[in-house]
Amino acid sequence: MTTATKWALAVGALALALIVALLPRSESMPPEPDTDLGPAREQAALAACAPARNGAAEGFSGVEVHCLGDGSRVEFADALGDGPTLVNVWATWCEPCREELPLLAEYAARPDAARVVTVQVQSSPEDGLRLLTELGVRLPALHDGEGATGPVRKALRVPTGLPASYVVEDGEARLVTEPRLFTSIDEISDAVEGAG
């Protein structure tokens, strides 16, 4: 092999490596931890993550997360369902989240309530299942990963302070800022109704 051929191969290999490094990558959902969560899931008895829908949340298609209740992968858009949906982002270490989650469950039990979906972040699925069981909260729950960011957090542009609630309707998400933390069912109801 001549020196020119060796140089051509080396330059070609470097060019190929550069192309691969610069190609856009889709944000993939990290695999669920390899632990047996069956008993914890059974005890938590969470509601299904993805109801039937008519495409009301198409703005979030392609955003995949794990369903905390059964470990399946679901599209965030499918979990939202039709009509307005209240999405609550929480973490197990967040004390205000512990106070807010039971209120959200109480609101969701009302016949006139919008769908409520929770999104656990920055802690393990096992810790999330344990907390929801302890609180008696059986809402649909998504797990957006244990790290500093995840697909749902990126799609919603979730602030650093938790909890964070959004009213999602017609593919649009509105961060609830008044109040930032729900302390009553009436506040939840007002936030959902005020989004329309």
Side-chain angles (χ1 to χ4, degrees), residues 104-119:
L104 293 167
E106 194 175 336
Y107 163 78
R110 294 172 45 168
D112 61 339
R115 178 168 170 78
V116 177
V117 174
T118 69
V119 181

Side-chain angles (χ1 to χ4, degrees), residues 135-180:
L135 297 175
V137 172
R138 308 223 183 296
L139 294 168
L142 304 172
H143 188 258
D144 195 43
E146 297 179 39
T149 189
V152 172
R153 284 172 279 176
K154 185 176 179 181
L156 291 176
R157 297 184 194 120
V158 175
T160 54
L162 295 178
S165 293
Y166 293 80
V167 177
V168 181
E169 189 169 19
D170 299 326
E172 300 283 326
R174 179 184 60 82
L175 176 64
V176 176
T177 56
E178 289 297 326
R180 187 71 169 82

Side-chain angles (χ1 to χ4, degrees), residues 1-156:
M1 196 179 311
T2 67
T3 305
T5 305
K6 289 179 184 177
W7 275 105
L9 287 174
V11 169
L14 285 173
L16 180 61
L18 183 61
I19 290 169
V20 169
L22 295 176
L23 283 176
R25 290 182 172 83
S26 64
E27 186 162 342
S28 62
M29 187 64 209
E32 188 171 59
D34 196 18
T35 57
D36 181 20
L37 297 175
R41 287 188 167 120
E42 191 174 309
Q43 192 171 15
L46 301 179
C49 287
R53 68 180 184 91
N54 296 323
E58 289 303 322
F60 297 103
S61 290
V63 178
E64 280 193 352
V65 289
H66 286 111
C67 177
L68 192 58
D70 64 12
S72 65
R73 282 182 147 185
V74 296
E75 276 205 21
F76 184 48
D78 291 339
L80 296 173
D82 291 326
T85 301
L86 181 63
V87 177
N88 178 263
V89 182
W90 59 279
T92 57
W93 48 261
C94 165
E95 285 303 319
C97 300
R98 291 172 180 256
E99 297 168 21
E100 193 174 64
L101 284 165
L103 280 174
L104 293 167
E106 194 175 336
Y107 163 78
R110 294 172 45 168
D112 61 339
R115 178 168 170 78
V116 177
V117 174
T118 69
V119 181
Q120 179 200 349
V121 301
Q122 298 179 356
S123 50
S124 72
E126 186 175 19
D127 290 346
L129 290 165
R130 188 178 307 117
L131 177 63
L132 293 174
T133 300
E134 175 188 317
L135 297 175
V137 172
R138 308 223 183 296
L139 294 168
L142 304 172
H143 188 258
D144 195 43
E146 297 179 39
T149 189
V152 172
R153 284 172 279 176
K154 185 176 179 181
L156 291 176

